[in-house]
Amino acid sequence: SQKIEQNSEALNIQEGKTATLTCNYTNYSPAYLQWYRQDPGRGPVFLLLIRENEKEKRKERLKVTFDTTLKQSLFHITASQPADSATYLCALANTGGFKTIFGAGTRLFVKA
Amino acid sequence: DAGVIQSPRHEVTEMGQEVTLRCKPISGHDYLFWYRQTMMRGLELLIYFNNNVPIDDSGMPEDRFSAKMPNASFSTLKIQPSEPRDSAVYFCASSLGTGDQPQHFGDGTRLSIL
């Protein structure tokens, strides 16, 4: 069955450093990979989408890579800030009626 | 522009009672999704609609769960009878499409069944 794995352990980093979160998947060939941010008590908020034919996507301090051979996506936050502390979810998506599947998320803590 | 609106935000009820969760999607979005989030299982898709028609309900746990979308601006998720294991946060999301379109989530309903 389709499976998405994100680091279950929380990631603790110092302000100003780059945070790198990992999303691995099996038994799926997504056309798109999405990243969302979720704050406590709130719904997930869309951040970035990357297509299977794209290697890298950037938006301000965010960078996403997508390696369809390794079946892995990396999500980077450069110059991290305490306000970046949240849970980050990756999601695999496809067209043609396939469901979007979400990972369990990785909790990020950025210390001042 | 208003986002996805869910009500109630919190619901506490006793086992066996009927529970109805409500959702108003973003105007113009053709797709509506219902998810359930727990610590153990993460975010699970229960059912989704396209143009008010249910497309995939394979994630609905059992017959106690039902969902309707009577028009483009309203959907309900009903649990009858409710059980303690139904306790979770239920999210509604809407989007312009699947795949390459982002989903816009409401802030969820935190449901506790005693």
Side-chain angles (χ1 to χ4, degrees):
Chain A
S1 63
Q2 301 149 349
K3 193 174 178 182
I4 304 178
E5 287 185 355
Q6 294 187 253
N7 289 353
S8 57
E9 292 182 14
L11 180 62
N12 291 281
I13 65 167
Q14 199 68 36
E15 182 178 12
K17 301 294 187 184
T18 296
T20 299
L21 285 69
T22 304
C23 176
N24 295 299
Y25 59 93
T26 55
N27 297 325
Y28 200 87
S29 296
Y32 314 97
L33 195 146
Q34 303 176 0
W35 282 89
Y36 290 76
R37 168 185 173 140
Q38 186 174 20
D39 291 286
R42 306 297 300 273
V45 174
F46 172 77
L47 296 174
L48 275 172
L49 176 145
I50 186 166
R51 292 174 166 77
E52 62 179 336
N53 60 352
E54 297 176 316
K55 296 294 184 188
E56 183 179 297
K57 199 85 169 276
R58 292 176 185 259
K59 179 182 176 182
E60 297 172 352
R61 294 184 297 111
L62 309 180
K63 184 179 86 171
V64 173
T65 63
F66 192 9
D67 189 325
T68 56
T69 301
L70 289 179
K71 294 186 180 294
Q72 181 182 77
S73 174
L74 298 178
F75 178 79
H76 306 272
I77 306 175
T78 58
S80 59
Q81 304 166 0
D84 295 325
S85 299
T87 297
Y88 291 85
L89 309 172
C90 73
L92 308 181
N94 229 320
T95 53
F98 292 96
K99 299 186 288 193
T100 298
I101 305 170
F102 283 82
T106 297
R107 194 96 189 263
L108 173 66
F109 292 98
V110 182
K111 295 182 292 184
Chain B
D1 209 5
V4 174
I5 299 172
Q6 292 187 245
S7 64
R9 287 298 314 276
H10 303 274
E11 175 88 16
V12 180
T13 191
E14 293 195 345
M15 181 175 66
Q17 297 297 307
E18 178 179 289
V19 173
T20 299
L21 311 182
R22 297 172 175 80
C23 175
K24 177 178 169 56
I26 293 173
S27 177
H29 282 190
D30 293 330
Y31 288 82
L32 183 139
F33 307 83
W34 281 101
Y35 289 90
R36 179 171 66 177
Q37 188 175 45
T38 60
M39 289 293 291
M40 289 295 294
R41 301 174 68 91
L43 198 62
E44 300 176 280
L45 178 67
L46 300 176
I47 184 172
Y48 79 92
F49 295 82
N50 178 211
N51 292 323
N52 313 338
V53 176
I55 302 300
D56 186 341
D57 65 353
S58 60
M60 296 286 261
E62 47 198 274
D63 292 345
R64 298 184 296 106
F65 286 69
S66 62
K68 293 182 180 179
M69 191 164 186
N71 57 63
S73 59
F74 184 65
S75 178
T76 59
L77 178 68
K78 190 171 291 188
I79 308 173
Q80 167 63 18
S82 58
E83 297 182 3
R85 59 189 167 127
D86 302 330
S87 298
V89 182
Y90 291 81
F91 288 103
C92 174
S94 69
S95 73
L96 290 170
T98 59
D100 65 342
Q101 295 297 321
Q103 295 186 19
H104 300 260
F105 285 78
D107 280 336
T109 295
R110 182 172 294 276
L111 178 63
S112 297
I113 309 296
L114 306 178

